[in-house]
Amino acid sequence: MALYIFSDAHLGSGPKEKELLKQKKIAELFEMVKKDGDRLVILGDLFDFWFEYKQAMPKDQFKVLYMLYDLIERGIKIDYVSGNHDFWMHDFFATQMHINMHKDCLDFTYENLTLHLIHGDGLSPADKGYHFLKKILRNRLNIWLYRQLPPDLAISLAKSVSGSSREYTARRDHHFKLDYENYAERKLQEGFDFVAIGHLHLPVYKEFESGVYINTGDFINNFSYVKIDNDNIELKYLSE
């Protein structure tokens, strides 16, 4: 059996043709998971924006939600490490989808490997502006205040802001590539065998003396993912 990891599809962020392509590629990945996988980790930013109300949720990603639920029904374990575009999740995925939710990182052992998985937003010490913004966005009072807006207004507003934020961080975070590699090396030196990070939209495979670091890239342009099978760690791609 195998473990699959992918991130950064930002569903809902592009024109219709691009969204259909992303859904098609996710479906292809999930078919592979069905064949030989027993665990799937979504390493953040599956959606470009996700905000749950107590009685309402975005409806435009029903097809992907159905595909996820189908994996769960087949006995495949799914973990979701929230990213900077989907950390406003409430309890829908945990209670209705039976997906294991993780707000910061996920550390676990798979086969004979110890893994450290994290989305990666704000990992660079130089990213001081985002560190400040992150505190504002994750403040409970601010989340409660935003939830007082009517859902249609709140979701439309957030989508427009989310698009600008994604373009900005995609351009800027490439400059932090070395900081991410340094972070991964430190975690490997702490005793982990493998570190996976998302967020950069830049696929990276790098072997250190103490283990392997992979940046999962994205499911927008690269359609890159990680497969771990019998201690074999691969960064793979689905062709467009």
Side-chain angles (χ1 to χ4, degrees):
M1 303 303 286
L3 165 68
Y4 288 83
I5 308 167
F6 81 109
S7 72
D8 295 280
H10 289 271
L11 292 168
S13 65
K16 183 178 179 180
E17 295 77 12
K18 190 66 173 181
E19 292 302 296
L20 290 174
L21 176 61
K22 287 191 282 187
Q23 289 185 4
K24 176 185 176 184
K25 291 303 174 184
I26 288 173
E28 289 181 18
L29 177 66
F30 288 2
E31 284 301 315
M32 292 189 293
V33 176
K34 289 178 188 177
K35 290 179 180 178
D36 66 355
D38 63 348
R39 191 165 184 174
L40 170 70
V41 178
I42 303 168
L43 205 53
D45 288 358
L46 176 61
F47 308 100
D48 197 55
F49 170 76
W50 186 277
F51 190 95
E52 288 177 42
Y53 290 77
K54 289 185 178 180
Q55 303 298 329
M57 51 170 276
K59 69 178 183 180
D60 53 355
Q61 302 303 335
F62 173 77
K63 289 182 180 179
V64 172
L65 294 176
Y66 176 79
M67 288 190 285
L68 284 170
Y69 191 72
D70 182 49
L71 293 179
I72 291 288
E73 288 286 281
R74 294 169 182 267
I76 295 167
K77 184 175 182 178
I78 300 180
D79 295 273
Y80 198 128
V81 181
S82 60
N84 53 306
H85 282 256
D86 48 23
F87 56 74
W88 287 308
M89 291 176 166
H90 189 45
D91 64 354
F92 171 77
F93 284 87
T95 61
Q96 304 302 314
M97 300 283 288
H98 307 297
I99 291 175
N100 303 299
M101 301 301 299
H102 310 273
K103 287 189 176 181
D104 296 307
C105 64
L106 172 60
D107 298 338
F108 67 102
T109 300
Y110 186 81
E111 295 182 344
N112 297 315
L113 301 172
T114 55
L115 286 67
H116 174 73
L117 312 181
I118 187 170
H119 178 68
D121 53 301
L123 275 187
S124 173
D127 199 1
K128 296 179 181 179
Y130 181 72
H131 294 162
F132 177 73
L133 179 62
K134 189 173 182 179
K135 291 180 180 179
I136 296 175
L137 294 175
R138 300 202 181 198
N139 181 275
R140 290 185 179 181
L141 175 60
N142 292 337
I143 293 173
W144 181 86
L145 289 171
Y146 197 83
R147 190 169 277 123
Q148 306 317 301
L149 295 174
D152 287 347
L153 172 61
I155 291 173
S156 296
L157 175 62
K159 281 184 176 180
S160 63
V161 175
S162 180
S164 300
S165 171
R166 183 186 64 259
E167 292 173 5
Y168 169 70
T169 55
R171 292 193 302 268
R172 182 204 59 191
D173 288 343
H174 277 64
H175 299 295
F176 298 148
K177 178 175 175 285
L178 183 59
D179 290 336
Y180 281 62
E181 292 181 5
N182 291 337
Y183 173 88
E185 186 175 19
R186 289 195 302 270
K187 299 305 290 187
L188 293 169
Q189 289 172 349
E190 289 176 11
F192 291 99
D193 300 304
F194 172 67
V195 173
I197 309 176
H199 189 61
L200 291 182
H201 297 201
L202 182 67
V204 174
Y205 180 98
K206 188 164 185 177
E207 293 185 6
F208 291 94
E209 206 173 300
S210 47
V212 173
Y213 157 60
I214 288 180
N215 191 288
T216 48
D218 64 31
F219 247 66
I220 301 173
N221 298 309
N222 294 292
F223 303 108
S224 48
Y225 65 97
V226 176
K227 182 178 181 181
I228 299 178
D229 183 12
N230 293 323
D231 298 341
N232 184 39
I233 303 171
E234 297 179 280
L235 176 62
K236 308 186 76 172
Y237 299 82
L238 294 174
S239 61
E240 183 172 335

